[in-house]
Amino acid sequence: MMKTTKKHSPFISLGLFLLISASRAEIFTSIGQMTDLIYTEKELVQSLKEYIQAEESKLAAVKSWASKLDRLTRMSTSDPEGYLAHPVNAYKLVKRLNTEWSDLESLVLQNPSDGFIANMSVHRQYFPDEEDEKGAAKALMRLQDTYKLDSESFSKGKLPGVRYNSQLTVDDCYDMGKTAYNDVDYYHSVLWMQQALRQLDAGEEALVSKADVLDYLSYSVYQMGDLQRAVELTRRLVALDPSHQRAGGNLHYFEKLLQKELRESERAKPNPSEERPIQLGTYDRPLDYLPERETYEALCRGEGIKLTPARRSRLFCRYNDGNRNPRLLLAPMKQEDEWDNPHIVRFLDTLSDAEIEKIKELAKPRLARATVRDPKTGVLTVAQYRISKSAWLEGDVDPVIARVNQRIEDITGLSVATAELLQVANYGVGGQYEPHFDFSRRPFDSVFRTDGNRLATYLNYMSDVEAGGATVFPDFGAAILPRKGTAVFWYNLFRSGEGDYRTRHAACPVLVGSKWVSNKWFHERGQEFRRPCGLTEVD
């Protein structure tokens, strides 16, 4: 049977790139921080070009020496004594051997790569590591699942809203498939190995061999329970490489299992047929830990949204003066209803472009992998269901933050005195936050003991997103699209203080674009007269 220890290294030249270890892991979780890598790579390319130019200059000088000395030696060796009879020739021979050949030796021993290597050493600490590459590969698979995109669409760069098309090579698809295989994720391994095989069959050149692809693909198909297709693929592998170590044994084993399966089901043995293509829906995607996975992902795709005409008729737009707040009387905030019950509203023009850029500038150096609180231990930890980086900004870090905090208070009518700091989040490759509650179901945790549970959520959208990235509420079928400069607001708790479990929501994976948001979470203390308590759950 196939062993999981099999290795493949598609890049042999410039192997130094593969030996670099990064001190800043999880770079893929923030597009904002990944932009720095673009400029780093540009600088390295310039350094590489300078190295090539230095090597070419060195080689040109050596060639010039060789050409000159070749002419001299042809002449001198034709008549050594006659040549040396001329005193100038004798002098120049001594000089060449004493001085000029030493200079040539020094030239040859010069290493123009020193500057390039030094530059690499400076930047290597910021390079993504193996975990980043693995995380980015999983992100593509997550996007593939959520938005029902086949591997060919990804490979050919057929994504909505893209400005810079990019394609995956056979080796890229193979590495994607192997990442899934090593995670015992045979479902995605099949999809990506099949795509690698499809591109190889189309004549694309690659470092990986067709036999290697078939090796992984046939075994992954077997693990998905498709014995007939596993037999077909393994037969093809044996025909391609009769001496393959595992193929012969695997074929015998698969055929034996297939015969047993056919006998037990009393079906006729299928006739050998041409290999059948594997499509996105050929195999069922394995179930996972998230009960509302199907509903959540459908909403991300814009399917299953329950905004009926009757419900839409109950939604209005209005001017919000913050209950005659002096700062909003002359310039009231434009407000739109996004949902009627629970009531979710969107405020327009909450942040200017200049304010957004300043907030991003302040947050970027502070970004760190976003964490979640473990429901069992209460300890903050990273999780695969939250792929982003976040930063917390104090109100006094810059006048812009103080001004934004005051504006949020004016708009909502809630006090920011006991609210959390402004959290700025940037989503990375396939960035997401799966369905979760903003309020704690353990309200007496130490973190909420003083200021109470999270009463309300205020969410600023600080960028448009070309595709994906919606905020969805699986319980009642709402999807809210990011719109730069707007903010959405809802209450997480009823007036009785009980959690509103309908507000379980998610940030859909970003398919194309860079999503920036900033959050303000209001706590119960300080809101007693701004949002009075009630005896029931009725809002």
Side-chain angles (χ1 to χ4, degrees):
M1 303 302 289
M2 192 169 189
K3 299 179 180 178
T4 59
T5 55
K6 185 173 181 179
K7 302 292 182 183
H8 170 67
S9 177
F11 300 103
I12 305 301
S13 61
L14 288 180
L16 177 62
F17 281 94
L18 299 181
L19 299 178
I20 294 171
S21 60
S23 61
R24 290 172 58 195
E26 299 176 337
I27 292 174
F28 79 98
T29 58
S30 166
I31 291 293
Q33 286 190 332
M34 285 183 69
T35 56
D36 293 339
L37 299 179
I38 296 292
Y39 297 104
T40 296
E41 188 171 44
K42 179 180 180 181
E43 185 177 336
L44 288 175
V45 169
Q46 181 59 36
S47 179
L48 183 61
K49 289 165 68 175
E50 291 170 359
Y51 158 68
I52 293 171
Q53 185 177 7
E55 283 281 16
E56 289 175 341
S57 298
K58 170 185 169 181
L59 187 59
V62 173
K63 283 182 177 179
S64 177
W65 273 87
S67 179
K68 181 181 71 173
L69 292 171
D70 184 50
R71 292 194 301 271
L72 283 172
T73 54
R74 280 204 303 269
M75 182 171 57
S76 63
T77 55
S78 64
D79 182 13
E81 289 191 5
Y83 178 80
L84 291 174
H86 196 300
V88 172
N89 286 340
Y91 164 73
K92 294 186 71 172
L93 174 63
V94 172
K95 181 184 177 183
R96 281 199 304 275
L97 291 173
N98 181 57
T99 304
E100 295 180 7
W101 273 98
S102 295
D103 293 342
L104 179 59
E105 180 183 26
S106 299
L107 176 62
V108 172
L109 290 175
Q110 284 180 5
N111 190 353
S113 68
D114 288 345
F116 175 67
I117 297 299
N119 204 12
M120 283 283 293
S121 299
V122 170
H123 290 294
R124 68 177 60 185
Q125 60 182 315
Y126 303 112
F127 277 24
D129 60 10
E130 186 177 349
E131 284 303 307
D132 276 303
E133 183 177 347
K134 183 178 178 181
K138 288 183 175 181
L140 293 190
M141 298 174 204
R142 181 165 57 251
L143 293 172
Q144 180 179 29
D145 292 339
T146 303
Y147 298 104
K148 289 190 174 181
L149 299 168
D150 57 50
S151 303
E152 188 172 11
S153 295
F154 260 115
S155 182
K156 293 184 177 180
K158 295 179 179 178
L159 301 178
V162 294
R163 286 178 291 170
Y164 307 102
N165 195 26
S166 183
Q167 299 186 2
L168 295 173
T169 65
V170 169
D171 296 300
D172 292 332
C173 295
Y174 173 78
D175 288 337
M176 289 278 293
K178 202 170 75 164
T179 296
Y181 181 91
N182 290 338
D183 265 4
V184 199
D185 178 5
Y186 300 112
Y187 173 78
H188 288 106
S189 179
V190 167
L191 293 178
W192 286 100
M193 288 298 176
Q194 170 76 10
Q195 182 58 31
L197 183 62
R198 183 181 291 117
Q199 291 178 217
L200 280 171
D201 287 343
E204 184 178 325
E205 295 184 358
L207 294 173
V208 65
S209 70
K210 193 173 291 188
D212 282 338
V213 173
L214 284 166
D215 193 11
Y216 278 97
L217 179 58
S218 59
Y219 190 73
S220 297
V221 164
Y222 157 69
Q223 288 289 350
M224 291 301 296
D226 191 346
L227 281 172
Q228 184 176 339
R229 190 179 266 110
V231 168
E232 294 170 0
L233 291 165
T234 310
R235 283 175 180 166
R236 183 177 174 187
L237 174 57
V238 170
L240 188 66
D241 184 3
S243 63
H244 195 280
Q245 289 182 339
R246 286 178 299 278
N250 282 359
L251 181 58
H252 177 73
Y253 179 70
F254 295 159
E255 287 178 333
K256 186 176 179 180
L257 287 177
L258 181 59
Q259 289 173 0
K260 180 182 178 182
E261 181 183 278
L262 293 172
R263 282 196 305 270
E264 292 176 350
S265 63
E266 298 181 349
R267 286 187 289 131
K269 183 178 180 180
N271 294 323
S273 59
E274 189 175 337
E275 185 183 316
R276 297 165 295 158
I278 300 171
Q279 306 297 340
L280 188 62
T282 299
Y283 303 120
D284 292 332
R285 180 176 157 202
L287 298 176
D288 65 5
Y289 54 86
L290 193 62
E292 68 262 65
R293 170 75 64 192
E294 188 174 334
T295 302
Y296 152 57
E297 293 185 348
L299 287 171
C300 290
R301 295 190 299 271
E303 302 168 7
I305 299 175
K306 298 177 182 178
L307 188 59
T308 61
R311 170 163 274 121
R312 189 185 296 276
S313 69
R314 296 194 292 269
L315 306 181
F316 299 94
C317 57
R318 63 189 66 83
Y319 284 104
N320 178 355
D321 63 5
N323 196 22
R324 301 192 62 77
N325 185 298
R327 282 180 286 270
L328 293 179
L329 280 177
L330 295 180
M333 187 62 58
K334 289 176 279 189
Q335 177 181 320
E336 298 175 348
D337 290 334
E338 287 282 351
W339 205 259
D340 59 333
N341 189 22
H343 195 202
I344 303 174
V345 299
R346 188 195 295 262
F347 301 110
L348 278 59
D349 302 324
T350 56
L351 292 175
S352 68
D353 287 347
E355 287 172 331
I356 288 172
E357 290 309 309
K358 187 61 180 180
I359 293 172
K360 289 163 64 174
E361 176 189 328
L362 293 169
K364 196 171 179 180
R366 297 174 170 86
L367 288 175
R369 177 69 185 269
T371 57
V372 296
R373 193 170 297 279
D374 189 304
K376 295 181 179 179
T377 65
V379 176
L380 290 175
T381 183
V382 299
Q384 286 303 309
Y385 59 82
R386 188 180 191 184
I387 304 297
S388 65
K389 284 191 174 181
S390 59
W392 300 86
L393 299 181
E394 299 272 359
D396 58 1
V397 72
D398 190 274
V400 166
I401 305 303
R403 187 164 67 244
V404 168
N405 283 339
Q406 183 62 60
R407 187 178 304 146
I408 293 173
E409 179 172 297
D410 294 341
I411 293 171
T412 63
L414 298 176
S415 172
V416 297
T418 54
E420 297 177 32
L421 301 179
L422 188 70
Q423 185 206 55
V424 181
N426 179 227
Y427 291 81
V429 181
Q432 64 163 0
Y433 193 177
E434 289 181 355
H436 62 282
F437 300 101
D438 277 355
F439 65 89
S440 173
R441 287 167 290 171
R442 297 169 47 167
F444 298 107
D445 285 349
S446 59
V447 69
F448 297 120
R449 193 168 295 156
T450 302
D451 295 330
N453 212 337
R454 282 177 169 172
L455 174 68
T457 296
Y458 183 97
L459 172 62
N460 275 312
Y461 293 115
M462 302 200 302
S463 65
D464 292 314
V465 180
E466 286 86 342
T471 305
V472 299
F473 295 79
D475 184 82
F476 50 88
I480 299 174
L481 300 178
R483 284 160 55 190
K484 185 179 181 181
T486 70
V488 292
F489 175 79
W490 68 86
Y491 283 101
N492 297 304
L493 306 180
F494 291 107
R495 288 188 181 273
S496 65
E498 295 296 319
D500 186 348
Y501 283 80
R502 299 172 301 172
T503 60
R504 183 170 167 87
H505 62 285
C508 294
V510 177
L511 179 57
V512 178
S514 178
K515 181 182 176 183
W516 286 87
V517 299
S518 56
N519 300 284
K520 197 75 173 176
W521 286 292
F522 294 93
H523 287 258
E524 293 174 283
R525 189 169 70 86
Q527 321 301 343
E528 294 85 353
F529 299 103
R530 296 178 183 238
R531 198 214 189 202
C533 297
L535 298 178
T536 69
E537 291 185 348
V538 178
D539 191 6

